[in-house]
Amino acid sequence: MNIDKPLKIMIVDDEKGITRCFKEYFSRKGFVVFEVNDGKSAIEIFEKERPRICFIDVWMASGTHEGVDILKRIKEIEESVYCIMMGPCSDEENTAIRLKELGALHFINGRLDIEDFYRYIKEVKGIIFKNNSSKH
């Protein structure tokens, strides 16, 4: 990853207010942000744009684990992408374990405020920088 290029981020959530707020905030911070509200579009945008970080809602409007299907497909396309899964869950421990086994970096039970998202982005930027530094 070229550290001079803006980091690409995708947020996948069926609640348009969440994705719009996320895009407005992080675009102002210099990130390239793709807001997506359904699984089909998430895969299409991911294949075309290859964001480095994806925030994915586990539960989509259909009431299914569509976010899990998105995670699986994205990791098949690009194993090194950093996926952070989010959404309310009554069985947090087992859900987190399952999602991490599928390749998620983190699972967040419930909603985050915008600064929590930023903390996760900084964590991933640190991982990317460390990985790039160790290659030289």
Side-chain angles (χ1 to χ4, degrees), residues 58 83-89 91-93 95-97 99-100 104-110 120:
V58 174
C83 295
I84 299 165
M85 306 299 289
M86 57 192 184
C89 178
D91 188 7
E92 181 176 2
E93 185 176 340
T95 300
I97 291 168
L99 292 171
K100 287 185 178 188
L105 180 64
H106 292 293
F107 168 66
I108 297 101
N109 190 10
Y120 284 107

Side-chain angles (χ1 to χ4, degrees), residues 18-36:
I18 291 172
T19 58
R20 186 175 32 254
C21 176
F22 186 97
K23 182 174 183 168
E24 289 173 7
Y25 182 84
F26 287 105
S27 293
R28 284 192 300 248
K29 291 202 170 281
F31 299 101
V32 176
V33 181
F34 304 96
E35 62 175 308
V36 186

